Amino acid sequence: MTDSPGTPAEPEAPRKRHWLRWTALGVSVVLLAAAGVGWWLYRKLDGNITTDTDAAAELLRYEKERPAAGALGAQNILLIGSDTRTGAGNTTYGKDKGTQRSDTVILLHISAGRSSATAVSIPRDLMVTMPSCRTPDGTRTREQFAQFNSAFEIGGTACTIRTVERLTAIRIDHHMVIDFRGFKKMVDAVDGVEICLREAIDDKDAKLRLKAGRQTLNGEQALGFVRARKSLGNGSDTERMDRQQQFLGALVNKVQSNGVLLNPTRLYPVLDAATKSITTDPGLDSLRDLYDLARSMRSVPTEKVQFLTVPRRPYSYDPNRDELVQPAASQLFKQLREDKPVTVTPGTESDGRPGAVNAPNPAPTPTFSGRNAADGACA
């Protein structure tokens, strides 16, 4: 049978199969390349994280005296902002005297059902009983009554954790330490964080000039905003902690937005900055560990991410220091230990200090003043 005029030549089928093979090969190459890049990025981010094995070993040494584990599934994470001047990018904030103190310490409690997260600021000027701690030169200090932030200077992360556990009877499951440079990079990675200012700021010490109203702070501005103390507001650590809580609430809003979490080109810089910025315990020292933690936090409603300061007042023997207000502080610590809801409402104490317990409340569940993450955003 002869082909009729216009009938395609017989070799067409082999050419089609040839084209399909090259297409399949090309797709395979692209997929393998993507997988290779993905694996390289994962290894890079995973390798950014610094593991604090020294603190883990020191805490293990004192395991018998540490509090029992809390409610199953709940997490207590100690967030420590270090004021060390060592390291690239930190020297512009003052001379390095070979020491570091905890510029900011926040106890983050994440409920077992991930229905809420409560961040409790612990004042750096709070007078506490510090246990005997191991110093960098290997010697051990005696138990002493001292200003809280000296624990980090004397015995580092392990001493700070043990001091917090003694103060609260809450077992710390994990910890993260971040320095100045890391904080700035995190803020810049999300393209700045929006806050609202009631008054303009002109602070020479903090190198910060901002107009009143809606402002988007870059990393350098954000660091000045959360660290300024002596020349901003009334100069108290109380106001500084309130600014820190306001800023962290706004940062939570920004990171939880779809513009960051669902955009790979924006998410990668955030992950890169975050993993480079932190030193953490072996239980959180991998990208997978941090991802699992972040994923579990995504189910917490923004309005249920709450910030407050441990109930305190001026120390009886030195008004420039703080002491706990009882029984309010013990009530707060008990609720966190037992993973019970903490009710936080806007308000201040009678002495004007935000973040402490409200006026006496006869109800079984006391109410504490503070803010939630939604308060950090502009209306």
Side-chain angles (χ1 to χ4, degrees), residues 230-278:
K230 295 181 180 179
S231 58
L232 192 59
N234 62 13
S236 72
D237 198 38
T238 297
E239 280 204 359
R240 186 175 71 154
M241 285 187 293
D242 191 46
R243 288 194 301 275
Q244 290 171 354
Q245 292 168 4
Q246 176 191 3
F247 185 84
L248 289 175
L251 180 59
V252 168
N253 270 321
K254 185 65 175 286
V255 173
Q256 284 192 337
S257 70
N258 290 344
V260 175
L261 291 179
L262 299 182
N263 187 337
T265 59
R266 296 190 66 188
L267 181 59
Y268 175 78
V270 175
L271 293 176
D272 189 43
T275 52
K276 284 180 178 177
S277 302
I278 64 172

mmCIF file of all heavy atoms in Angstrom, residues 230-278:
data_model
loop_
_atom_site.group_PDB
_atom_site.id
_atom_site.type_symbol
_atom_site.label_atom_id
_atom_site.label_comp_id
_atom_site.label_asym_id
_atom_site.label_seq_id
_atom_site.Cartn_x
_atom_site.Cartn_y
_atom_site.Cartn_z
ATOM 1 N N LYS A 230 18.722 55.239 79.530
ATOM 2 C CA LYS A 230 18.998 56.388 80.378
ATOM 3 C C LYS A 230 18.402 57.690 79.868
ATOM 4 O O LYS A 230 18.047 58.561 80.648
ATOM 5 C CB LYS A 230 20.512 56.547 80.555
ATOM 6 C CG LYS A 230 21.149 55.393 81.306
ATOM 7 C CD LYS A 230 22.646 55.602 81.489
ATOM 8 C CE LYS A 230 23.271 54.436 82.250
ATOM 9 N NZ LYS A 230 24.740 54.604 82.413
ATOM 10 N N SER A 231 18.312 57.821 78.545
ATOM 11 C CA SER A 231 17.871 59.107 78.004
ATOM 12 C C SER A 231 16.568 59.030 77.235
ATOM 13 O O SER A 231 16.195 59.980 76.555
ATOM 14 C CB SER A 231 18.973 59.684 77.096
ATOM 15 O OG SER A 231 19.267 58.778 76.056
ATOM 16 N N LEU A 232 15.874 57.907 77.335
ATOM 17 C CA LEU A 232 14.613 57.758 76.608
ATOM 18 C C LEU A 232 13.492 57.539 77.610
ATOM 19 O O LEU A 232 13.589 56.679 78.495
ATOM 20 C CB LEU A 232 14.689 56.557 75.652
ATOM 21 C CG LEU A 232 13.562 56.434 74.624
ATOM 22 C CD1 LEU A 232 13.515 57.672 73.737
ATOM 23 C CD2 LEU A 232 13.772 55.193 73.767
ATOM 24 N N GLY A 233 12.416 58.311 77.498
ATOM 25 C CA GLY A 233 11.324 58.208 78.457
ATOM 26 C C GLY A 233 11.777 58.720 79.811
ATOM 27 O O GLY A 233 12.479 59.721 79.918
ATOM 28 N N ASN A 234 11.399 58.000 80.877
ATOM 29 C CA ASN A 234 11.793 58.431 82.219
ATOM 30 C C ASN A 234 13.116 57.798 82.672
ATOM 31 O O ASN A 234 13.530 57.930 83.810
ATOM 32 C CB ASN A 234 10.685 58.114 83.240
ATOM 33 C CG ASN A 234 10.420 56.613 83.354
ATOM 34 O OD1 ASN A 234 11.198 55.784 82.873
ATOM 35 N ND2 ASN A 234 9.316 56.261 84.003
ATOM 36 N N GLY A 235 13.779 57.090 81.745
ATOM 37 C CA GLY A 235 15.087 56.529 82.061
ATOM 38 C C GLY A 235 15.055 55.231 82.827
ATOM 39 O O GLY A 235 16.107 54.721 83.220
ATOM 40 N N SER A 236 13.888 54.634 83.020
ATOM 41 C CA SER A 236 13.790 53.416 83.814
ATOM 42 C C SER A 236 13.897 52.164 82.959
ATOM 43 O O SER A 236 13.619 52.181 81.758
ATOM 44 C CB SER A 236 12.454 53.388 84.575
ATOM 45 O OG SER A 236 11.384 53.157 83.685
ATOM 46 N N ASP A 237 14.309 51.084 83.592
ATOM 47 C CA ASP A 237 14.341 49.802 82.901
ATOM 48 C C ASP A 237 12.922 49.323 82.611
ATOM 49 O O ASP A 237 12.692 48.534 81.695
ATOM 50 C CB ASP A 237 15.077 48.773 83.763
ATOM 51 C CG ASP A 237 15.534 47.569 82.954
ATOM 52 O OD1 ASP A 237 15.952 47.758 81.798
ATOM 53 O OD2 ASP A 237 15.467 46.440 83.479
ATOM 54 N N THR A 238 11.977 49.822 83.398
ATOM 55 C CA THR A 238 10.569 49.465 83.204
ATOM 56 C C THR A 238 10.095 49.887 81.816
ATOM 57 O O THR A 238 9.491 49.103 81.086
ATOM 58 C CB THR A 238 9.697 50.146 84.275
ATOM 59 O OG1 THR A 238 10.071 49.648 85.547
ATOM 60 C CG2 THR A 238 8.223 49.876 84.029
ATOM 61 N N GLU A 239 10.359 51.138 81.455
ATOM 62 C CA GLU A 239 9.942 51.622 80.138
ATOM 63 C C GLU A 239 10.652 50.863 79.029
ATOM 64 O O GLU A 239 10.083 50.599 77.976
ATOM 65 C CB GLU A 239 10.213 53.124 80.014
ATOM 66 C CG GLU A 239 9.165 53.988 80.668
ATOM 67 C CD GLU A 239 9.128 55.386 80.067
ATOM 68 O OE1 GLU A 239 9.939 55.666 79.163
ATOM 69 O OE2 GLU A 239 8.282 56.174 80.506
ATOM 70 N N ARG A 240 11.915 50.519 79.261
ATOM 71 C CA ARG A 240 12.656 49.796 78.240
ATOM 72 C C ARG A 240 12.041 48.418 78.001
ATOM 73 O O ARG A 240 11.892 47.982 76.863
ATOM 74 C CB ARG A 240 14.123 49.646 78.637
ATOM 75 C CG ARG A 240 14.949 49.017 77.529
ATOM 76 C CD ARG A 240 16.396 48.971 77.867
ATOM 77 N NE ARG A 240 16.674 47.994 78.912
ATOM 78 C CZ ARG A 240 17.842 47.401 79.056
ATOM 79 N NH1 ARG A 240 18.834 47.697 78.239
ATOM 80 N NH2 ARG A 240 18.045 46.531 80.016
ATOM 81 N N MET A 241 11.656 47.716 79.076
ATOM 82 C CA MET A 241 11.031 46.407 78.914
ATOM 83 C C MET A 241 9.696 46.527 78.196
ATOM 84 O O MET A 241 9.326 45.672 77.394
ATOM 85 C CB MET A 241 10.862 45.720 80.275
ATOM 86 C CG MET A 241 12.159 45.174 80.842
ATOM 87 S SD MET A 241 11.927 44.203 82.349
ATOM 88 C CE MET A 241 11.394 45.482 83.474
ATOM 89 N N ASP A 242 8.970 47.610 78.469
ATOM 90 C CA ASP A 242 7.698 47.820 77.788
ATOM 91 C C ASP A 242 7.927 48.022 76.289
ATOM 92 O O ASP A 242 7.183 47.500 75.455
ATOM 93 C CB ASP A 242 6.984 49.032 78.387
ATOM 94 C CG ASP A 242 5.549 49.143 77.904
ATOM 95 O OD1 ASP A 242 4.843 48.119 77.907
ATOM 96 O OD2 ASP A 242 5.134 50.253 77.515
ATOM 97 N N ARG A 243 8.980 48.768 75.929
ATOM 98 C CA ARG A 243 9.301 48.956 74.509
ATOM 99 C C ARG A 243 9.712 47.631 73.871
ATOM 100 O O ARG A 243 9.372 47.355 72.716
ATOM 101 C CB ARG A 243 10.423 49.982 74.344
ATOM 102 C CG ARG A 243 10.011 51.408 74.626
ATOM 103 C CD ARG A 243 11.056 52.385 74.108
ATOM 104 N NE ARG A 243 12.360 52.169 74.716
ATOM 105 C CZ ARG A 243 12.739 52.690 75.875
ATOM 106 N NH1 ARG A 243 11.903 53.453 76.565
ATOM 107 N NH2 ARG A 243 13.950 52.457 76.352
ATOM 108 N N GLN A 244 10.479 46.823 74.606
ATOM 109 C CA GLN A 244 10.885 45.525 74.081
ATOM 110 C C GLN A 244 9.672 44.646 73.794
ATOM 111 O O GLN A 244 9.588 43.987 72.759
ATOM 112 C CB GLN A 244 11.811 44.830 75.085
ATOM 113 C CG GLN A 244 13.170 45.481 75.203
ATOM 114 C CD GLN A 244 13.989 44.926 76.358
ATOM 115 O OE1 GLN A 244 13.498 44.124 77.149
ATOM 116 N NE2 GLN A 244 15.244 45.344 76.454
ATOM 117 N N GLN A 245 8.718 44.653 74.717
ATOM 118 C CA GLN A 245 7.518 43.843 74.535
ATOM 119 C C GLN A 245 6.701 44.360 73.358
ATOM 120 O O GLN A 245 6.167 43.579 72.559
ATOM 121 C CB GLN A 245 6.696 43.861 75.823
ATOM 122 C CG GLN A 245 7.377 43.125 76.970
ATOM 123 C CD GLN A 245 6.710 43.388 78.307
ATOM 124 O OE1 GLN A 245 5.686 44.074 78.386
ATOM 125 N NE2 GLN A 245 7.282 42.866 79.374
ATOM 126 N N GLN A 246 6.588 45.684 73.226
ATOM 127 C CA GLN A 246 5.873 46.269 72.094
ATOM 128 C C GLN A 246 6.528 45.854 70.783
ATOM 129 O O GLN A 246 5.846 45.444 69.826
ATOM 130 C CB GLN A 246 5.872 47.798 72.201
ATOM 131 C CG GLN A 246 5.225 48.500 71.006
ATOM 132 C CD GLN A 246 5.471 50.005 70.998
ATOM 133 O OE1 GLN A 246 6.182 50.523 71.859
ATOM 134 N NE2 GLN A 246 4.898 50.698 70.035
ATOM 135 N N PHE A 247 7.859 45.930 70.736
ATOM 136 C CA PHE A 247 8.561 45.607 69.504
ATOM 137 C C PHE A 247 8.452 44.124 69.170
ATOM 138 O O PHE A 247 8.234 43.746 68.019
ATOM 139 C CB PHE A 247 10.032 46.007 69.610
ATOM 140 C CG PHE A 247 10.776 45.817 68.320
ATOM 141 C CD1 PHE A 247 10.741 46.789 67.341
ATOM 142 C CD2 PHE A 247 11.471 44.645 68.066
ATOM 143 C CE1 PHE A 247 11.387 46.608 66.135
ATOM 144 C CE2 PHE A 247 12.123 44.453 66.860
ATOM 145 C CZ PHE A 247 12.085 45.439 65.893
ATOM 146 N N LEU A 248 8.603 43.254 70.157
ATOM 147 C CA LEU A 248 8.514 41.821 69.898
ATOM 148 C C LEU A 248 7.121 41.438 69.399
ATOM 149 O O LEU A 248 6.973 40.553 68.559
ATOM 150 C CB LEU A 248 8.863 41.030 71.159
ATOM 151 C CG LEU A 248 10.345 41.060 71.555
ATOM 152 C CD1 LEU A 248 10.544 40.350 72.893
ATOM 153 C CD2 LEU A 248 11.211 40.425 70.484
ATOM 154 N N GLY A 249 6.100 42.105 69.938
ATOM 155 C CA GLY A 249 4.742 41.854 69.459
ATOM 156 C C GLY A 249 4.612 42.208 67.988
ATOM 157 O O GLY A 249 4.011 41.468 67.197
ATOM 158 N N ALA A 250 5.212 43.350 67.600
ATOM 159 C CA ALA A 250 5.172 43.758 66.196
ATOM 160 C C ALA A 250 5.980 42.807 65.323
ATOM 161 O O ALA A 250 5.603 42.515 64.178
ATOM 162 C CB ALA A 250 5.711 45.183 66.067
ATOM 163 N N LEU A 251 7.094 42.309 65.840
ATOM 164 C CA LEU A 251 7.925 41.365 65.088
ATOM 165 C C LEU A 251 7.173 40.053 64.859
ATOM 166 O O LEU A 251 7.233 39.467 63.775
ATOM 167 C CB LEU A 251 9.231 41.105 65.834
ATOM 168 C CG LEU A 251 10.212 40.130 65.183
ATOM 169 C CD1 LEU A 251 10.616 40.627 63.801
ATOM 170 C CD2 LEU A 251 11.435 39.946 66.070
ATOM 171 N N VAL A 252 6.452 39.580 65.874
ATOM 172 C CA VAL A 252 5.638 38.369 65.721
ATOM 173 C C VAL A 252 4.622 38.564 64.615
ATOM 174 O O VAL A 252 4.418 37.695 63.765
ATOM 175 C CB VAL A 252 4.937 38.002 67.049
ATOM 176 C CG1 VAL A 252 3.872 36.925 66.833
ATOM 177 C CG2 VAL A 252 5.955 37.511 68.073
ATOM 178 N N ASN A 253 3.971 39.728 64.608
ATOM 179 C CA ASN A 253 2.987 40.024 63.556
ATOM 180 C C ASN A 253 3.621 39.963 62.172
ATOM 181 O O ASN A 253 3.051 39.414 61.229
ATOM 182 C CB ASN A 253 2.402 41.423 63.792
ATOM 183 C CG ASN A 253 1.183 41.394 64.674
ATOM 184 O OD1 ASN A 253 0.346 40.505 64.571
ATOM 185 N ND2 ASN A 253 1.082 42.355 65.573
ATOM 186 N N LYS A 254 4.817 40.527 62.062
ATOM 187 C CA LYS A 254 5.476 40.596 60.758
ATOM 188 C C LYS A 254 5.869 39.201 60.275
ATOM 189 O O LYS A 254 5.638 38.844 59.112
ATOM 190 C CB LYS A 254 6.718 41.483 60.862
ATOM 191 C CG LYS A 254 7.436 41.723 59.534
ATOM 192 C CD LYS A 254 6.549 42.518 58.588
ATOM 193 C CE LYS A 254 7.270 42.873 57.295
ATOM 194 N NZ LYS A 254 8.269 43.944 57.466
ATOM 195 N N VAL A 255 6.466 38.408 61.142
ATOM 196 C CA VAL A 255 6.939 37.082 60.738
ATOM 197 C C VAL A 255 5.773 36.145 60.431
ATOM 198 O O VAL A 255 5.868 35.290 59.550
ATOM 199 C CB VAL A 255 7.845 36.478 61.826
ATOM 200 C CG1 VAL A 255 8.213 35.032 61.502
ATOM 201 C CG2 VAL A 255 9.118 37.305 61.959
ATOM 202 N N GLN A 256 4.657 36.298 61.146
ATOM 203 C CA GLN A 256 3.516 35.428 60.908
ATOM 204 C C GLN A 256 2.733 35.819 59.660
ATOM 205 O O GLN A 256 1.874 35.076 59.214
ATOM 206 C CB GLN A 256 2.576 35.432 62.123
ATOM 207 C CG GLN A 256 3.090 34.602 63.291
ATOM 208 C CD GLN A 256 2.024 34.382 64.357
ATOM 209 O OE1 GLN A 256 1.076 35.153 64.464
ATOM 210 N NE2 GLN A 256 2.189 33.344 65.138
ATOM 211 N N SER A 257 3.059 36.969 59.079
ATOM 212 C CA SER A 257 2.328 37.402 57.896
ATOM 213 C C SER A 257 2.704 36.534 56.705
ATOM 214 O O SER A 257 3.797 36.002 56.614
ATOM 215 C CB SER A 257 2.643 38.867 57.593
ATOM 216 O OG SER A 257 3.979 38.992 57.144
ATOM 217 N N ASN A 258 1.758 36.383 55.776
ATOM 218 C CA ASN A 258 2.006 35.574 54.582
ATOM 219 C C ASN A 258 3.148 36.126 53.741
ATOM 220 O O ASN A 258 3.812 35.391 53.012
ATOM 221 C CB ASN A 258 0.735 35.505 53.731
ATOM 222 C CG ASN A 258 -0.335 34.667 54.400
ATOM 223 O OD1 ASN A 258 -0.042 33.925 55.318
ATOM 224 N ND2 ASN A 258 -1.560 34.804 53.932
ATOM 225 N N GLY A 259 3.394 37.434 53.846
ATOM 226 C CA GLY A 259 4.457 38.025 53.067
ATOM 227 C C GLY A 259 5.831 37.490 53.420
ATOM 228 O O GLY A 259 6.767 37.630 52.654
ATOM 229 N N VAL A 260 5.969 36.880 54.581
ATOM 230 C CA VAL A 260 7.250 36.309 54.998
ATOM 231 C C VAL A 260 7.207 34.791 54.948
ATOM 232 O O VAL A 260 8.021 34.143 54.284
ATOM 233 C CB VAL A 260 7.636 36.773 56.418
ATOM 234 C CG1 VAL A 260 8.913 36.075 56.881
ATOM 235 C CG2 VAL A 260 7.830 38.285 56.446
ATOM 236 N N LEU A 261 6.253 34.194 55.611
ATOM 237 C CA LEU A 261 6.221 32.740 55.765
ATOM 238 C C LEU A 261 5.972 32.008 54.455
ATOM 239 O O LEU A 261 6.473 30.895 54.258
ATOM 240 C CB LEU A 261 5.153 32.341 56.790
ATOM 241 C CG LEU A 261 5.445 32.726 58.243
ATOM 242 C CD1 LEU A 261 4.286 32.298 59.138
ATOM 243 C CD2 LEU A 261 6.738 32.097 58.734
ATOM 244 N N LEU A 262 5.196 32.601 53.554
ATOM 245 C CA LEU A 262 4.844 31.919 52.318
ATOM 246 C C LEU A 262 5.619 32.423 51.107
ATOM 247 O O LEU A 262 5.289 32.078 49.977
ATOM 248 C CB LEU A 262 3.327 32.062 52.070
ATOM 249 C CG LEU A 262 2.423 31.466 53.154
ATOM 250 C CD1 LEU A 262 0.963 31.625 52.766
ATOM 251 C CD2 LEU A 262 2.759 30.013 53.420
ATOM 252 N N ASN A 263 6.653 33.210 51.356
ATOM 253 C CA ASN A 263 7.450 33.744 50.270
ATOM 254 C C ASN A 263 8.894 33.274 50.438
ATOM 255 O O ASN A 263 9.636 33.817 51.250
ATOM 256 C CB ASN A 263 7.390 35.274 50.274
ATOM 257 C CG ASN A 263 8.076 35.886 49.068
ATOM 258 O OD1 ASN A 263 8.938 35.276 48.451
ATOM 259 N ND2 ASN A 263 7.686 37.120 48.736
ATOM 260 N N PRO A 264 9.317 32.249 49.671
ATOM 261 C CA PRO A 264 10.665 31.690 49.845
ATOM 262 C C PRO A 264 11.772 32.722 49.719
ATOM 263 O O PRO A 264 12.777 32.646 50.424
ATOM 264 C CB PRO A 264 10.750 30.638 48.726
ATOM 265 C CG PRO A 264 9.335 30.277 48.439
ATOM 266 C CD PRO A 264 8.551 31.532 48.642
ATOM 267 N N THR A 265 11.618 33.698 48.822
ATOM 268 C CA THR A 265 12.670 34.691 48.639
ATOM 269 C C THR A 265 12.824 35.596 49.853
ATOM 270 O O THR A 265 13.893 36.176 50.075
ATOM 271 C CB THR A 265 12.391 35.564 47.402
ATOM 272 O OG1 THR A 265 11.134 36.231 47.563
ATOM 273 C CG2 THR A 265 12.349 34.701 46.147
ATOM 274 N N ARG A 266 11.762 35.716 50.658
ATOM 275 C CA ARG A 266 11.839 36.505 51.892
ATOM 276 C C ARG A 266 12.103 35.631 53.101
ATOM 277 O O ARG A 266 12.701 36.069 54.074
ATOM 278 C CB ARG A 266 10.541 37.291 52.086
ATOM 279 C CG ARG A 266 10.275 38.322 50.999
ATOM 280 C CD ARG A 266 9.115 39.216 51.365
ATOM 281 N NE ARG A 266 9.431 40.027 52.527
ATOM 282 C CZ ARG A 266 8.533 40.787 53.164
ATOM 283 N NH1 ARG A 266 7.290 40.823 52.738
ATOM 284 N NH2 ARG A 266 8.884 41.507 54.199
ATOM 285 N N LEU A 267 11.649 34.381 53.032
ATOM 286 C CA LEU A 267 11.820 33.493 54.178
ATOM 287 C C LEU A 267 13.271 33.067 54.358
ATOM 288 O O LEU A 267 13.763 32.986 55.489
ATOM 289 C CB LEU A 267 10.934 32.253 54.009
ATOM 290 C CG LEU A 267 10.981 31.222 55.146
ATOM 291 C CD1 LEU A 267 10.569 31.868 56.462
ATOM 292 C CD2 LEU A 267 10.067 30.045 54.826
ATOM 293 N N TYR A 268 13.981 32.804 53.236
ATOM 294 C CA TYR A 268 15.355 32.332 53.370
ATOM 295 C C TYR A 268 16.252 33.330 54.108
ATOM 296 O O TYR A 268 16.983 32.937 55.022
ATOM 297 C CB TYR A 268 15.965 31.983 52.004
ATOM 298 C CG TYR A 268 17.419 31.616 52.144
ATOM 299 C CD1 TYR A 268 17.795 30.358 52.605
ATOM 300 C CD2 TYR A 268 18.420 32.542 51.863
ATOM 301 C CE1 TYR A 268 19.120 30.027 52.785
ATOM 302 C CE2 TYR A 268 19.753 32.220 52.044
ATOM 303 C CZ TYR A 268 20.099 30.954 52.499
ATOM 304 O OH TYR A 268 21.419 30.637 52.685
ATOM 305 N N PRO A 269 16.230 34.641 53.760
ATOM 306 C CA PRO A 269 17.066 35.583 54.518
ATOM 307 C C PRO A 269 16.733 35.605 56.006
ATOM 308 O O PRO A 269 17.616 35.786 56.844
ATOM 309 C CB PRO A 269 16.759 36.939 53.859
ATOM 310 C CG PRO A 269 16.300 36.595 52.497
ATOM 311 C CD PRO A 269 15.543 35.312 52.638
ATOM 312 N N VAL A 270 15.440 35.434 56.344
ATOM 313 C CA VAL A 270 15.043 35.403 57.748
ATOM 314 C C VAL A 270 15.654 34.180 58.428
ATOM 315 O O VAL A 270 16.217 34.278 59.536
ATOM 316 C CB VAL A 270 13.503 35.377 57.881
ATOM 317 C CG1 VAL A 270 13.094 35.210 59.346
ATOM 318 C CG2 VAL A 270 12.901 36.646 57.310
ATOM 319 N N LEU A 271 15.550 33.023 57.775
ATOM 320 C CA LEU A 271 16.121 31.810 58.351
ATOM 321 C C LEU A 271 17.639 31.907 58.460
ATOM 322 O O LEU A 271 18.238 31.456 59.452
ATOM 323 C CB LEU A 271 15.740 30.598 57.495
ATOM 324 C CG LEU A 271 14.262 30.215 57.481
ATOM 325 C CD1 LEU A 271 14.025 29.054 56.511
ATOM 326 C CD2 LEU A 271 13.789 29.827 58.877
ATOM 327 N N ASP A 272 18.267 32.495 57.442
ATOM 328 C CA ASP A 272 19.719 32.628 57.462
ATOM 329 C C ASP A 272 20.154 33.526 58.616
ATOM 330 O O ASP A 272 21.093 33.204 59.355
ATOM 331 C CB ASP A 272 20.198 33.204 56.129
ATOM 332 C CG ASP A 272 21.709 33.162 55.981
ATOM 333 O OD1 ASP A 272 22.320 32.130 56.337
ATOM 334 O OD2 ASP A 272 22.292 34.155 55.516
ATOM 335 N N ALA A 273 19.472 34.655 58.786
ATOM 336 C CA ALA A 273 19.808 35.576 59.871
ATOM 337 C C ALA A 273 19.540 34.944 61.221
ATOM 338 O O ALA A 273 20.344 35.071 62.157
ATOM 339 C CB ALA A 273 19.002 36.871 59.729
ATOM 340 N N ALA A 274 18.410 34.251 61.339
ATOM 341 C CA ALA A 274 18.042 33.640 62.614
ATOM 342 C C ALA A 274 19.039 32.564 63.026
ATOM 343 O O ALA A 274 19.497 32.519 64.176
ATOM 344 C CB ALA A 274 16.638 33.056 62.525
ATOM 345 N N THR A 275 19.386 31.689 62.093
ATOM 346 C CA THR A 275 20.292 30.588 62.442
ATOM 347 C C THR A 275 21.707 31.081 62.718
ATOM 348 O O THR A 275 22.426 30.495 63.535
ATOM 349 C CB THR A 275 20.323 29.527 61.321
ATOM 350 O OG1 THR A 275 20.586 30.164 60.064
ATOM 351 C CG2 THR A 275 18.999 28.784 61.245
ATOM 352 N N LYS A 276 22.118 32.166 62.059
ATOM 353 C CA LYS A 276 23.440 32.733 62.333
ATOM 354 C C LYS A 276 23.467 33.474 63.656
ATOM 355 O O LYS A 276 24.529 33.673 64.246
ATOM 356 C CB LYS A 276 23.838 33.711 61.218
ATOM 357 C CG LYS A 276 24.288 33.061 59.927
ATOM 358 C CD LYS A 276 24.655 34.129 58.909
ATOM 359 C CE LYS A 276 25.153 33.511 57.619
ATOM 360 N NZ LYS A 276 25.438 34.542 56.585
ATOM 361 N N SER A 277 22.301 33.889 64.128
ATOM 362 C CA SER A 277 22.221 34.793 65.272
ATOM 363 C C SER A 277 22.206 34.081 66.619
ATOM 364 O O SER A 277 22.476 34.706 67.638
ATOM 365 C CB SER A 277 20.952 35.652 65.177
ATOM 366 O OG SER A 277 20.937 36.387 63.983
ATOM 367 N N ILE A 278 21.843 32.824 66.639
ATOM 368 C CA ILE A 278 21.559 32.191 67.925
ATOM 369 C C ILE A 278 22.583 31.149 68.346
ATOM 370 O O ILE A 278 23.219 30.498 67.527
ATOM 371 C CB ILE A 278 20.160 31.541 67.928
ATOM 372 C CG1 ILE A 278 20.076 30.401 66.904
ATOM 373 C CG2 ILE A 278 19.081 32.569 67.708
ATOM 374 C CD1 ILE A 278 18.790 29.601 67.003
#
